[in-house]
Amino acid sequence: MRDIAFGQFYPAKSLLHRLDPRAKILLLIVFIVLVFCTANYYSLLLVILGVFSVVLFSKVPLRLYFNSLKMIIVIVLITSFLNLFYGTGEPVISWGFIKITLEGINNAIFVSVRILSLILISSALTFTTSPTDLTDALERLMKPLTVFKVKVHEIAMMMTIALRFVPLLLEETDKIMSAQKARGADMESGNLIQRIKALVPVLIPLFVSAFRRAYELAVAMECRCYQGGEGRTRMKSLHLHTRDYLSILVVIILIVGVVLCNVLLPQAVR
Amino acid sequence: MDFITAQNLIFRYIDEDEQVNNENVKNVLDNVSFSVKKGEFVALLGHNGCGKSTVAKHLNAMLIPESGKLFVDSIDTADENEDFTIRRKVGLVLQNPDNQLVASIVEEDVAFGPENLGVEPQEIRRRVDDALKAVDMYDYRFQPPHKLSGGQKQRVAIAGIIAMEPSCIVLDEPTAMLDPKGREEVMSTIKKLNKERGITVVLITHYMDEAVEADRVIVMDDGKVLCSGTPKEVFSQVELLKRHRLDVPQVTELCYKLKACGVEIDSLSLHSDECIAQLTEVLL
């Protein structure tokens, strides 16, 4: 149970692991936009090539990627099935009032490939970046937002603490559940409503202890001179290396490729 | 002037929200006076609820005495502007190691304190490595805290305080939630820091055998200082301690009982080897 929580990170020594987390987050966003900008099979192929090279470069076992795809496969099937029937033009198959057009088939293929690449590429980010690096990078990337009075440091601090306490609270849930079971609580039988009701004696002690922990943590942080983000320094400073610039360059080439394919070759979907 | 000087501290937990008659609230600290010298290892001993944790929170200006004065390195803790100066000098380690670690990687947690102080990145790096080595946790620096044992977590918490380079650390029952092995690890770390680095240590505990390790013991009961002195002086007052439902170390108790039965023992020993030596002398 303890491993599901952000157990996403897979430590290895690949190029992707060593990239600057800020660069990775930005490139991920660019890539996602790119995936949705594909207009024909040539550009789609380019994107698929990009996704596969990222997956291979990450040195993360393919099994893990399959696991993350498994959760989403139903949604992919449903959306692509529905997309089959949307589309104008000459019907390829018509059966009563149901008409499947070439555009509908294209739509279905594009939607499923887009969702699958989206999942693969974002799993690649979480597999290759430790949660602390992620929050750190987010804090630095959101820094400009302080102009708009967004409390960037506070948000990052909350994420850090959440990451720290999730495994702890999971462990505690386990303990409370065992304790309640030992007192005769029945959590496994009954219908849905009964089971939800059975969770109340677990949730209440959990909340009480979470608040107590929060109080103690606040005291401990104050003891360690925490005064908010102002005047705070960081032990790790992030620097962009050649590999980061190279990966940015690769993505730019990919963007150019996709745009060229879209413009020069006939479009398959709108 | 001593590093810490407490003069006639009085403190009560007053509930400001409720309209109760605050006059009747009991004093948690009732005229407490003591002092701690630089580099000294002092144990503060007492029952639960005798006010020893309250003293701990006074020492780094988390609480301000209602009356009386507390000076840390000649700074009055009642001065609000000096709160953080005092907290840099006096680090407080709490009882539950889980609730005082902030980051999900050991070395980043240790860096939290110096980061708050605005120390330069290279200097933070040096201090973090140094602090982790001081508590023998350097090999675990990339581990998440929840994969460590209780004793290891508490040592990381101590490292987090050491990294702020305080001249004094106050530990509020740091071993209360640990197993015997963890207790031993933490105790030897504390002793090492005191001996090798000259850090002043105030150890708050209710374990007699931990108090024996200190240079000086202050016993508190019911918000008052009951007695103080070297462990030997304090624990030889067996009757006084018993009267206040406090224990003495098992070895001391054995000697005390033997003496009461008429065995010729001149002084009550604190350590088992010392006791064995004495008993062999008597028997042979």
Side-chain angles (χ1 to χ4, degrees), chain A residues 71-82:
Chain A
M71 318 230 263
I72 209 79
I73 202 78
V74 180
I75 296 173
V76 172
L77 285 178
I78 292 172
T79 40
S80 56
F81 182 71
L82 288 177

Side-chain angles (χ1 to χ4, degrees), chain A residues 164 213 224 232-233 235, chain B residues 98-99 109 115-116 119:
Chain A
R164 158 86 183 91
R213 280 179 195 280
R224 291 166 77 179
R232 210 163 175 262
T233 48
M235 173 170 71
Chain B
D98 272 327
N99 296 349
D109 184 79
E115 282 177 345
N116 289 337
V119 177

Side-chain angles (χ1 to χ4, degrees), chain A residues 153-201:
Chain A
H153 169 75
E154 279 76 4
I155 295 172
M157 195 43 140
M158 281 193 270
M159 282 168 65
T160 311
I161 292 173
L163 284 174
R164 158 86 183 91
F165 278 87
V166 162
L168 218 68
L169 291 179
L170 280 177
E171 198 179 315
E172 188 143 333
T173 316
D174 266 354
K175 261 189 214 161
I176 296 174
M177 277 173 97
S178 315
Q180 299 289 29
K181 276 183 200 160
R183 286 163 179 74
D186 181 10
M187 309 214 183
E188 261 109 37
S189 59
N191 58 28
L192 192 66
I193 295 169
Q194 281 171 324
R195 280 202 204 187
I196 291 173
K197 273 188 180 165
L199 276 182
V200 173

